Amino acid sequence: TKYVIKNVQWNTGNNFTVERGLQQIEEVISTWEIHESWLHWSEFLQEEDLKDSKRYHYRVCWSIPTRRKPIPRATASVYFVIEISKIKP
């Protein structure tokens, strides 16, 4: 089967906020085919101020907690960087 990635309309320039970045990342990962036993949480890590842009770093962490082992033995993380230009709209 062919996997189709949903096109997410990313916010740009003045419309971008850290919270909106998290929402958009959640929108992207909601399209991924991940077994329901995997739970995740997302967090904003840092803002990086560059000459012509700003970079916003995020992490999404997955684990499979159970009643017997609520603290997972292993996790999987995916990191996202959203770059917003200071020059282009």
Side-chain angles (χ1 to χ4, degrees):
T1 60
K2 186 177 179 182
Y3 184 73
V4 178
I5 297 174
K6 179 183 172 187
N7 189 16
V8 173
Q9 188 66 34
W10 293 93
N11 279 346
T12 59
N14 294 337
N15 296 327
F16 182 82
T17 64
V18 170
E19 294 79 21
R20 184 65 185 134
L22 272 174
Q23 290 172 350
Q24 291 179 307
I25 289 169
E26 288 290 330
E27 189 178 336
V28 168
I29 64 175
S30 72
T31 66
W32 297 354
E33 294 180 15
I34 299 172
H35 191 272
E36 62 187 27
S37 61
W38 284 91
L39 302 179
H40 77 276
W41 57 277
S42 305
E43 69 177 332
F44 171 70
L45 299 174
Q46 71 177 11
E47 178 181 324
E48 183 180 6
D49 196 6
L50 304 173
K51 179 182 176 190
D52 296 327
S53 64
K54 284 189 177 184
R55 290 183 185 158
Y56 298 86
H57 298 257
Y58 298 86
R59 176 174 67 168
V60 180
C61 188
W62 276 272
S63 65
I64 305 177
T66 64
R67 286 184 184 177
R68 288 188 173 186
K69 295 184 181 179
I71 299 173
R73 297 175 85 189
T75 62
S77 294
V78 177
Y79 293 86
F80 291 86
V81 177
I82 299 174
E83 187 166 0
I84 303 295
S85 174
K86 293 179 182 178
I87 300 169
K88 294 189 234 176

